[in-house]
Amino acid sequence: MAVRMVNIHDAKTHLSRLVEQAAKGESFIIAKAGRPMVKVVPLEAPIPAVPRRLGFLAGQFEVPADFDTIGEDDIAALFDGVP
């Protein structure tokens, strides 16, 4: 759903009507010279859900017990300069 863009002059002229519409859930953007400046949304608007990424591979693989020491010699060689 596209958000309506209103130029700043029209926003000043029709502010009461625009605020009423926004309060009912009809968000809009105020633009100046065609450049979006602010977005007006109702205060009671639900917060958009952020996709949950943690745990999306739960049960798909197992972390080895020596995970924290894997490649330890290679990493030490990188920092010490010893192959």
Side-chain angles (χ1 to χ4, degrees), residues 39-69:
K39 182 176 182 180
V40 180
V41 297
L43 286 178
E44 301 301 320
I47 298 171
V50 177
R52 185 170 178 230
R53 298 292 296 166
L54 292 176
F56 72 100
L57 289 175
Q60 300 291 322
F61 65 94
E62 190 173 312
V63 178
D66 64 345
F67 173 77
D68 58 340
T69 59

Side-chain angles (χ1 to χ4, degrees), residues 13-78:
T13 304
H14 305 288
L15 184 61
S16 295
R17 180 176 50 86
L18 291 169
V19 168
E20 286 296 321
Q21 291 172 345
K24 293 178 183 174
E26 299 174 34
S27 303
F28 65 94
I29 294 173
I30 297 177
K32 184 175 183 180
R35 193 173 120 236
M37 301 294 287
V38 297
K39 182 176 182 180
V40 180
V41 297
L43 286 178
E44 301 301 320
I47 298 171
V50 177
R52 185 170 178 230
R53 298 292 296 166
L54 292 176
F56 72 100
L57 289 175
Q60 300 291 322
F61 65 94
E62 190 173 312
V63 178
D66 64 345
F67 173 77
D68 58 340
T69 59
I70 294 175
E72 191 174 66
D73 296 333
D74 295 331
I75 294 170
L78 289 171

